[in-house]
Amino acid sequence: MTSAQVDSSEQTSEEGYERGLGSRQVQMIAIGGAIGVGLFLGAGANIAKAGPSLIFMYALAGVIIFFIMRALGELLLYRPVSGSFAEYSREFLGPFFGYFTGWTYWLMWVVTGMAELTAAAIYVNYWFPHIPQWVTALVFLVILFGVNLISVKLFGELEFWFSMVKVTALIGMIVIGLGVLTFGFSSAGDTAAVSNLWAFDGFFPKGVGSSLMTLQGVMFAYLAVELVGVTAGESEDPEKTLPKAINTLPWRIALFYVGALTVILCVVKWTEFAPGVSPFVAAFAKIGIPAGAGIVNFVVLTAALSSCNSGMYSTGRMLRNLADSGEAPAAFRKLSASKTPALGITVSVLFMGIGVVLNYVVPEKAFGYVTSVATAAGIWTWLMILVSHVLYRRAVDAGRLPASSFPAPGGAVCSYIAIAFLLFVTGLIAYDADSRVCLYVMAGWAAALGVGWAVLKARNPEVTERREPELQKVG
């Protein structure tokens, strides 16, 4: 690709967007993406499977997530574009992979939005059991839809405060837990001890194999950290805000995931946690804090709404990116007067609305299936980021492309390690009878996209053949 082509592509992708996300908002979007329902709720079932070793699984997965984000960061500073994953897949792997990645990321957020709306309705049911679940889900859907249509600044502001609630709550939980460990107050004070991490059948009580099987759920908890990449086209100063957001990821993971779980498992022994119950709610109940369960319920509700809000934001941008490349209807390219991809957001919200309908009939297991589909789609997105990064580094080393101002440490080596890890997790998903259904869904999705690509190729062959296989030397 020539420098002129790069410039042209950049202009097309960014045309009309308002750079309305400031440093404060990008930082909090990044933090919020690293704290989700997967941690607040999903950790309960995983503690029952892995015991204290879950801490190690979160730390291990966190290292891989950092590798992924540094790879993405290098690509973003080479060419910051909204809808980045699809754009880089398109550039380095070819049009089909850009098309497949864009639509798969859209699917990930649509099904995540369905799941989060259902979850939010369940959380509200805790306080208002007489309100039908579908009514609550519909109200949240309409409110968040309106926020995303008004402006990117309002989206960023709402996401800032959603993230602030999650961060404040987690820090509060950690401080209270450390207080119980240090001063021994509350009903949990007599049994709280660091030795709880190994005193009950060791650090790996169910064996290493059982601990590894929790990696699927752990990776689901980390979904959305890559959302920073989607904000690139609307950040006020991407060259400053994006590296800062990515470089602070390790301490966020260390504090909010590893730190919070370590404190909780020291305060309450792992054998007292059960699937389907938030470990944070259980810990607050054990400590005996008044209204503790209600406080945590509010925080988890915030996490669900935050995720759904992010989903609406990213799906609209991804549909516009696909339309820019001729891989979705051209109508998705249009921006509203407030410079938001209104049609793309609207269509995505209509699909998320299926989740409102499903509130009548979705059993507990189907909810799990939805999250596993989101995980599989997320793994595909991460793999495409990593493979694109490897190919980009090869092009830089060969002198065909300019170097990024934010190179990933270790070059492509860390990307290769992360690719191997994600393939290993995919193998674990295939091994588990309950979660492997998502691979069948993804196979069906791939077949549908394959048919769509064939139709696109027949109608508009220039779109599918427009890229040259060899990158041209720049400068």
Side-chain angles (χ1 to χ4, degrees):
M1 178 180 278
T2 65
S3 58
Q5 284 175 300
V6 171
D7 291 342
S8 173
S9 175
E10 192 168 357
Q11 286 166 5
T12 302
S13 297
E14 302 315 303
E15 183 186 349
Y17 276 134
E18 176 188 7
R19 291 195 177 271
L21 294 177
S23 176
R24 170 179 66 93
Q25 293 165 328
V26 172
Q27 290 297 318
M28 268 301 175
I29 288 170
I31 292 173
I35 308 169
V37 176
L39 171 65
F40 285 120
L41 284 183
N46 288 326
I47 288 172
K49 289 179 186 175
S53 66
L54 184 64
I55 298 167
F56 176 73
M57 294 299 125
Y58 270 107
L60 174 62
V63 171
I64 300 300
I65 290 295
F66 181 62
F67 289 168
I68 294 168
M69 291 304 294
R70 280 306 301 258
L72 177 59
E74 182 165 357
L75 291 169
L76 285 171
L77 270 295
Y78 146 66
R79 192 161 68 90
V81 288
S82 197
S84 56
F85 328 116
E87 191 59 36
Y88 300 133
S89 300
R90 191 173 292 116
E91 179 177 348
F92 295 107
L93 288 149
F96 176 76
F97 286 92
Y99 159 84
F100 195 99
T101 301
W103 279 109
T104 300
Y105 195 66
W106 177 84
L107 172 73
M108 184 195 97
W109 275 112
V110 165
V111 295
T112 299
M114 289 182 198
E116 303 294 6
L117 281 171
T118 304
I122 291 169
Y123 304 145
V124 169
N125 203 47
Y126 173 83
W127 294 299
F128 305 104
H130 59 283
I131 298 178
Q133 225 168 270
W134 70 268
V135 172
T136 310
L138 181 61
V139 169
F140 284 141
L141 184 71
V142 171
I143 291 173
L144 294 178
F145 175 50
V147 165
N148 272 272
L149 284 186
I150 292 169
S151 75
V152 67
K153 284 185 178 179
L154 185 58
F155 156 79
E157 199 60 31
L158 188 62
E159 199 57 31
F160 174 85
W161 290 108
F162 277 154
S163 296
M164 185 67 78
V165 168
K166 292 187 282 188
V167 169
T168 304
L170 270 181
I171 291 174
M173 292 173 190
I174 292 170
V175 169
I176 291 168
L178 289 174
V180 172
L181 280 170
T182 306
F183 303 109
F185 63 80
S186 87
S187 55
D190 295 337
T191 56
V194 176
S195 60
N196 283 341
L197 295 178
W198 60 81
F200 301 93
D201 298 322
F203 190 67
F204 289 89
K206 299 288 186 75
V208 175
S210 183
S211 297
L212 289 173
M213 290 304 293
T214 64
L215 281 174
Q216 316 161 45
V218 168
M219 296 309 286
F220 173 73
Y222 283 125
L223 283 184
V225 292
E226 75 293 325
L227 186 64
V228 166
V230 184
T231 70
E234 291 165 280
S235 301
E236 287 175 354
D237 190 357
E239 291 198 1
K240 288 184 180 178
T241 57
L242 296 176
K244 187 176 179 183
I246 291 169
N247 279 335
T248 53
L249 185 66
W251 74 257
R252 295 200 303 269
I253 289 172
L255 177 65
F256 297 131
Y257 279 92
V258 179
L261 282 174
T262 300
V263 169
I264 278 180
L265 289 171
C266 288
V267 171
V268 182
K269 57 191 180 197
W270 75 270
T271 52
E272 295 187 24
F273 294 108
V277 177
S278 168
F280 295 94
V281 174
F284 268 48
K286 178 74 174 177
I287 293 170
I289 293 176
I295 293 169
V296 175
N297 195 68
F298 172 73
V299 173
V300 177
L301 170 63
T302 302
L305 294 177
S306 169
S307 181
C308 192
N309 189 40
S310 298
M312 290 183 190
Y313 172 86
S314 58
T315 50
R317 272 72 184 169
M318 197 56 72
L319 285 179
R320 185 175 190 239
N321 180 268
L322 286 162
D324 278 337
S325 304
E327 296 160 358
F332 288 128
R333 290 197 72 242
K334 295 177 182 176
L335 294 178
S336 67
S338 58
K339 297 184 179 179
T340 60
L343 181 62
I345 295 171
T346 303
V347 170
S348 301
V349 166
L350 288 174
F351 276 95
M352 287 182 192
I354 295 171
V356 176
V357 179
L358 293 179
N359 267 282
Y360 285 114
V361 294
V362 173
E364 212 171 294
K365 213 164 191 180
F367 185 85
Y369 290 158
V370 168
T371 57
S372 68
V373 169
T375 305
I379 287 175
W380 173 268
T381 299
W382 290 335
L383 281 171
M384 289 301 97
I385 291 169
L386 294 165
V387 173
S388 297
H389 177 248
V390 168
L391 295 175
Y392 167 70
R393 288 304 293 245
R394 285 183 188 171
V396 171
D397 292 342
R400 295 194 301 268
L401 285 177
S404 170
S405 61
F406 186 47
V413 174
C414 291
S415 288
Y416 280 118
I417 294 170
I419 288 168
F421 180 86
L422 292 178
L423 293 176
F424 174 68
V425 173
T426 304
L428 293 177
I429 291 173
Y431 179 76
D432 184 65
D434 283 338
S435 61
R436 80 167 66 109
V437 68
C438 75
L439 298 181
Y440 302 142
V441 172
M442 289 305 294
W445 175 250
L449 287 182
V451 171
W453 184 254
V455 172
L456 189 64
K457 196 168 186 177
R459 291 184 175 179
N460 194 0
E462 298 99 34
V463 170
T464 60
E465 296 170 3
R466 66 184 180 15
R467 285 199 42 78
E468 298 175 11
E470 293 294 324
L471 292 169
Q472 301 298 313
K473 186 172 181 178
V474 176

